Amino acid sequence: MFRDTFTFTPSTLRSLRLQRELQDLEDERRALYRSPRNRQTAAVSQSVFRESRTLSQLSSDSAVHDALCNGDLDKIRVIFKSKEAVNATIQTVSHELSWSPELGLWSLISKQKQTSALHIAAERGHTACVKHLLGHGADVNAAPGGATALHIACANGHTECAQLLLSIGANPNAISEDGYAPLHLCTSPETFLCAKLLLEHNARVNLQTKDRENTPLHIAAKHGLDKHVDLYLNYCAYSHKKNREGETALNAACSYADKPEAFGRYYKVCKMLINWGANVKTAGKKNHTPLHNACGNGHPDIVELLLLHGASVNAKNSAGYTPMDCILQAVEDYLEQHPERIVVDLLNHGAGPVDPKMLKQCAVSPWTMEALLNTYEVIPLCDSWIESVPLDVWQKHQVFYESIIQMINKPRSLQHLARCALRNYLGTRCHSVIPQLQLPNSSAEFLLLKLEGYIK
């Protein structure tokens, strides 16, 4: 009756059979899934699916980047399970200020950079994450962004990460895209242990950068890193080595010693370099000697050190300036560092006479003014500088400035004229001969231009 009432065509019957077969397969899959063993197999299949999906998103997935930056080891273990995932290139975006000549202003631009999981973890000092990634096949010498993970770990002073990388075969002399070895990137006090590790793993202490041909010693001296400098010198760094501009590490130290809070460190650096044979007369960029640079930075202790070791007090740079010219141009910037100390030292080591026109440079420093005026047998006219003296300075040192005005174009005291005669005779030997003369202390101090606060 049923068959007589509903007529089935051959195609309809085939469709019904296919649906029944599909239903049977689904029933079998569900039955298999109910057993513990097959549930585990299914879970592995889903994990593989998730991993393949993650690999396709690693390059730009912010969640992956955040897990690496935060050192989230649990997430990293889930994401980075295979060698392919560990060594996948990750894209990051950084925002940098860039000068636009067309617009004539600074603008914020976005730059895409390539990195890897190992690089990000090493940069942040996440040692456990670095260990996990290395254990899963991370390429320790890969440089997707132009530098290796060792470069980045050392630059940030992450000693434990650097130790892990070196122990697994990181190249301590790898050269980055910019031409730097890891040792060149040890530029802060926090990187000292990294520098020590690199040298213990055969880093080349005299390796030069590609751009300016600086050695690690140049760079450490530039940053005033006294412990680094001592370390490098004990590993046979060349104190006389010159960079592309003809500068030694001593030139670099004197050139960058411009922050009073770091004067102590730079002084130690200069002293060590000189003790290890650095030449105090070597002229570098624009024919600046270390003495030119130390004077220009207002560092009295380094100036004294250089002079005691034979620096040329009257050497001229490519602009024709002597060290005395350099300190007089910087007086106003280093008033608290007592620029008069430098001026007196230069004069006692034979610095030549100062053009009266230069007196305007030290109008705000009465002590410096006094030292210079005591080299003249007659006080010159003060029209060129007297109006430059600030009112508060004048009021504080009124006795001094009035004593100058009273002595203009008048004969100086016989005592002063005798001082000038003796100093002219001794020349560059004033600093060494006068202390050896059997004179009362007050007389010796007078000859060495002790400052008194007035002119006579």
Side-chain angles (χ1 to χ4, degrees):
M1 184 68 178
F2 181 86
R3 289 174 179 251
D4 293 338
T5 307
F6 300 96
T7 305
F8 290 87
T9 63
S11 60
T12 302
L13 291 174
R14 284 195 299 273
S15 177
L16 288 172
R17 283 197 300 272
L18 180 59
Q19 290 179 14
R20 183 54 184 266
E21 289 172 1
L22 290 173
Q23 183 63 45
D24 292 339
L25 288 172
E26 178 64 15
D27 291 340
E28 290 176 6
R29 188 188 69 77
R30 291 180 178 181
L32 288 170
Y33 188 79
R34 293 189 184 97
S35 69
R37 181 176 181 180
N38 287 307
R39 281 201 301 272
Q40 183 178 5
T41 303
V44 170
S45 299
Q46 290 181 4
S47 175
V48 171
F49 172 74
R50 285 197 300 269
E51 183 176 354
S52 64
R53 184 181 179 185
T54 301
L55 282 172
S56 67
Q57 297 174 345
L58 275 178
S59 176
S60 58
D61 194 333
S62 59
V64 173
H65 188 269
D66 289 344
L68 289 165
C69 289
N70 297 326
D72 192 332
L73 186 58
D74 292 334
K75 289 184 180 179
I76 288 171
R77 283 172 173 165
V78 172
I79 298 170
F80 298 98
K81 295 179 178 180
S82 66
K83 186 174 182 180
E84 291 75 15
V86 166
N87 290 301
T89 299
I90 297 176
Q91 298 286 347
T92 62
V93 178
S94 63
H95 303 287
E96 300 176 0
L97 282 173
S98 178
W99 176 256
S100 173
E102 296 81 8
L103 300 175
L105 49 80
W106 290 90
S107 58
L108 195 64
I109 62 172
S110 299
K111 286 187 176 181
Q112 280 198 344
K113 295 183 178 181
Q114 291 186 333
T115 185
S116 72
L118 185 63
H119 285 66
I120 297 174
E123 180 181 10
R124 302 303 175 100
H126 299 315
T127 308
C129 299
V130 170
K131 188 174 184 179
H132 170 82
L133 296 168
L134 290 174
H136 283 73
D139 183 353
V140 73
N141 287 311
T148 67
L150 184 61
H151 281 94
I152 295 174
C154 290
N156 290 279
H158 298 311
T159 309
E160 292 184 0
C161 290
Q163 175 69 70
L164 271 174
L165 294 166
L166 287 165
S167 67
I168 210 74
N171 182 2
N173 295 305
I175 302 299
S176 70
E177 194 175 77
D178 295 331
Y180 292 82
L183 202 57
H184 295 131
L185 301 180
C186 295
T187 59
S188 68
E190 294 75 24
T191 63
F192 173 74
L193 291 178
C194 287
K196 190 170 184 292
L197 270 174
L198 290 167
L199 292 170
E200 289 172 351
H201 284 79
N202 300 318
R204 293 167 57 192
V205 73
N206 290 306
L207 187 64
Q208 293 177 286
T209 60
K210 284 186 177 179
D211 53 357
R212 296 187 60 191
E213 297 181 3
N214 285 321
T215 66
L217 189 62
H218 280 93
I219 294 171
K222 170 185 173 180
H223 292 278
L225 303 178
D226 51 320
K227 291 185 178 179
H228 289 65
V229 168
D230 184 46
L231 175 69
Y232 298 160
L233 289 171
N234 279 286
Y235 269 84
C236 299
Y238 299 146
S239 62
H240 60 274
K241 189 78 171 179
K242 295 180 181 180
N243 63 12
R244 180 166 292 175
E245 294 173 337
E247 295 181 333
T248 65
L250 182 61
N251 291 96
C254 294
S255 179
Y256 285 89
D258 58 351
K259 295 179 176 60
E261 62 272 17
F263 273 7
R265 289 192 289 112
Y266 279 99
Y267 177 79
K268 291 179 183 177
V269 167
C270 292
K271 190 173 183 179
M272 279 189 285
L273 291 169
I274 291 172
N275 289 342
W276 282 78
N279 188 342
V280 298
K281 295 182 180 181
T282 300
K285 186 178 180 181
K286 297 182 179 180
N287 216 28
H288 274 277
T289 65
L291 187 58
H292 281 93
N293 290 322
C295 288
N297 289 326
H299 200 313
D301 292 330
I302 292 181
V303 168
E304 182 181 17
L305 179 69
L306 295 170
L307 289 170
L308 289 175
H309 285 83
S312 300
V313 70
N314 290 310
K316 293 184 179 182
N317 62 17
S318 57
Y321 293 138
T322 65
M324 179 66 81
D325 295 324
C326 292
I327 180 55
L328 293 182
Q329 292 168 359
V331 164
E332 192 171 354
D333 297 327
Y334 296 100
L335 287 175
E336 295 183 1
Q337 279 63 58
H338 302 288
E340 69 276 3
R341 279 186 55 194
I342 295 177
V343 171
V344 169
D345 258 345
L346 293 172
L347 292 171
N348 286 332
H349 281 77
V354 175
D355 188 328
K357 294 179 181 179
M358 293 293 290
L359 294 175
K360 186 177 180 179
Q361 303 283 353
C362 53
V364 295
S365 175
W367 300 114
T368 305
M369 180 74 71
E370 179 184 346
L372 292 175
L373 290 177
N374 279 335
T375 64
Y376 297 119
E377 294 184 0
V378 177
I379 300 296
L381 292 173
C382 57
D383 296 347
S384 63
W385 59 266
I386 196 166
E387 292 182 358
S388 301
V389 180
L391 180 59
D392 59 330
V393 176
W394 182 281
Q395 291 174 342
K396 186 176 180 181
H397 302 276
Q398 187 172 351
V399 172
F400 169 71
Y401 289 112
E402 288 181 350
S403 71
I404 297 174
I405 295 173
Q406 292 172 3
M407 291 299 298
I408 292 175
N409 288 328
K410 291 182 181 179
R412 301 289 297 268
S413 67
L414 183 59
Q415 186 182 32
H416 171 73
L417 295 176
R419 172 170 62 180
C420 289
L422 180 59
R423 289 179 59 85
N424 288 336
Y425 173 75
L426 293 175
T428 60
R429 299 175 295 158
C430 287
H431 72 285
S432 59
V433 173
I434 292 175
Q436 296 178 20
L437 299 177
Q438 296 182 356
L439 296 171
N441 289 337
S442 58
S443 298
E445 291 173 348
F446 177 77
L447 290 173
L448 291 170
L449 302 177
K450 180 184 178 182
L451 302 174
E452 298 177 318
Y454 59 89
I455 295 295
K456 62 180 180 180

